[in-house]
Amino acid sequence: MEKILVDMDGRLGNQMFQYAYALKLKKQYPESEIIINFYRISLYADLAPNESGWKDNLQYFKADYQTNQQKLSDFLSGYLSKKQYFWLRVTNRLQHHLSIFKKNSYFPFEKLPNLLKYYSRFLYRHGLLIYPSKIEKLNYEMENSNILLHSYFEDASFFEGLQDELRATFSPREELLEQNKDLYKKIKEGQSICITIRRGDYLSKENQQSFFQCDESYFIKGIEIIKEKVKNPIFFFFSDDLEYAGQFAMEVMTEDDQFFVEKEGNPIWEKLRLMSACKHYIISNSTFSWWCQFLSDNPQKIVVGPKNWYPKDSINKNNALVQNDWIQI
């Protein structure tokens, strides 16, 4: 295999999954080169200028890849074989025009109708990891020298045994910020509990039904569980809405509790460093939260996570990020 092509989608948490899967493939094909196109993300940045994170976030970490800024169609036609490009365009048309393709794109592979399972295997064998949106383990030899990744690869089992390599890969290039040195020391020295509260776009009208899963009662229950299991816990609150996180912390923490709320102004790579340094976790159903607990090097870590990754009525049906060793609520 010569090239592993990534049609990148999403913000940091999603980008990490896509890059990690490309890295996993590179271990299988060591002579290959990872090339990432961020054109799709640049379009999102133009459509949502008030939302941060729509950019190449991997640049802040020790990931090894080449970038390509061409228009997506030029990028793909330049690297894919004629047969690959034909089936890519067919798949895009099917997803656009047929409701069965749209609906089942958000299902895990094993829940696809048999015809779509066959179609997904067919694409995989031709080096197109593009359908469904949440790729499962498909152990088939690929027939092309170049492979295209456009999916989310959100499955904990994909990355078993790669923790050490991924910790090194996703360590920030920049040094610890001065404003966080005391906080980082407290995290490393105490029984630190990372609480990640995801709000932001999860609360929008179009996203709430599909994504908002971890409400205040969830975090209160998680805090109760941690207090029962960890002696002298110190709680560290992280969020994309720090004003809300600070108010919530003041309401739920007692005068006997030790707790801290991260400071404003931390870049995303600094957040990842601080959060992944914690000993234990109460996470949201956010890919960024998931990576923080996964990258922790504490072998005795306790993770409180949601039993179901998505709300009951969500179009997303994949639950592969929920790990068996979590305390699920």
Side-chain angles (χ1 to χ4, degrees), residues 118-135:
Y118 175 85
Y119 187 76
S120 183
R121 293 188 185 109
F122 170 82
L123 293 173
Y124 189 100
R125 284 195 294 269
H126 284 81
L128 298 172
L129 278 69
I130 59 177
Y131 188 88
S133 293
K134 308 292 175 67
I135 292 290

Side-chain angles (χ1 to χ4, degrees), residues 259-270:
F259 71 94
F260 300 88
V261 179
E262 70 161 314
K263 293 182 179 180
E264 294 276 2
N266 284 326
I268 195 69
W269 48 265
E270 184 79 340

Side-chain angles (χ1 to χ4, degrees), residues 179-207:
Q179 72 168 15
N180 293 316
K181 287 185 176 179
D182 288 342
L183 188 72
Y184 187 75
K185 183 178 180 182
K186 290 182 174 69
I187 287 172
K188 296 294 286 185
E189 292 180 352
Q191 285 296 318
S192 48
I193 316 299
C194 174
I195 300 178
T196 59
I197 301 176
R198 173 66 183 270
R199 287 170 64 80
D201 58 343
Y202 274 23
L203 299 180
S204 68
K205 185 177 180 180
E206 60 269 25
N207 287 337

Side-chain angles (χ1 to χ4, degrees), residues 16-51:
M16 291 170 75
F17 275 108
Q18 291 162 81
Y19 180 79
Y21 197 86
L23 192 64
K24 180 182 176 74
L25 282 178
K26 185 172 173 59
K27 291 178 71 68
Q28 186 176 349
Y29 305 99
E31 299 302 315
S32 62
E33 179 184 15
I34 299 174
I35 303 177
I36 303 178
N37 183 283
F38 290 92
Y39 183 77
R40 187 185 301 273
I41 290 176
S42 71
L43 295 180
Y44 292 144
D46 293 338
L47 291 172
N50 295 325
E51 294 183 12

Side-chain angles (χ1 to χ4, degrees), residues 107 214 235 281 327:
F107 278 65
C214 301
F235 296 92
Y281 295 83
I327 299 173

Side-chain angles (χ1 to χ4, degrees), residues 49-111:
N50 295 325
E51 294 183 12
S52 63
W54 295 110
K55 58 182 178 179
D56 171 9
N57 287 299
L58 297 176
Q59 64 183 301
Y60 304 115
F61 302 94
K62 297 176 182 177
D64 183 16
Y65 59 95
Q66 300 296 317
T67 60
N68 184 296
Q69 302 297 336
Q70 284 180 291
K71 185 178 178 182
L72 196 55
S73 57
D74 295 336
F75 167 68
L76 295 174
S77 61
Y79 284 107
L80 298 179
S81 68
K82 290 183 179 179
K83 183 183 289 187
Q84 282 179 306
Y85 193 62
F86 171 79
W87 284 110
L88 171 65
R89 297 194 66 179
V90 167
T91 304
N92 288 340
R93 291 286 183 90
L94 291 171
Q95 287 187 278
H96 182 72
H97 293 291
L98 295 183
S99 60
I100 187 172
F101 264 81
K102 292 179 187 177
K103 175 183 176 183
N104 286 280
S105 177
Y106 295 98
F107 278 65
F109 177 81
E110 74 272 5
K111 293 186 178 179

Side-chain angles (χ1 to χ4, degrees), residues 192-247:
S192 48
I193 316 299
C194 174
I195 300 178
T196 59
I197 301 176
R198 173 66 183 270
R199 287 170 64 80
D201 58 343
Y202 274 23
L203 299 180
S204 68
K205 185 177 180 180
E206 60 269 25
N207 287 337
Q208 193 162 16
Q209 179 175 302
S210 290
F211 294 103
F212 187 64
Q213 178 78 325
C214 301
D215 57 14
E216 291 184 357
S217 63
Y218 165 86
F219 288 106
I220 291 170
K221 179 64 175 175
I223 291 168
E224 291 172 353
I225 291 171
I226 288 293
K227 286 182 177 180
E228 291 174 357
K229 294 185 173 294
V230 178
K231 186 177 181 180
N232 299 322
I234 307 174
F235 296 92
F236 295 84
F237 289 80
F238 298 88
S239 179
D240 55 359
D241 185 346
L242 288 177
E243 181 179 357
Y244 169 84
Q247 293 173 350

Side-chain angles (χ1 to χ4, degrees), residues 213-214 218 282-286 303-310 319 321-323 326-329:
Q213 178 78 325
C214 301
Y218 165 86
I282 304 171
I283 69 168
S284 297
N285 61 319
S286 138
V303 179
V304 176
K307 183 177 181 180
N308 296 297
W309 195 251
Y310 295 104
N319 211 38
L321 287 183
V322 176
Q323 296 178 233
W326 291 359
I327 299 173
Q328 301 172 17
I329 59 176

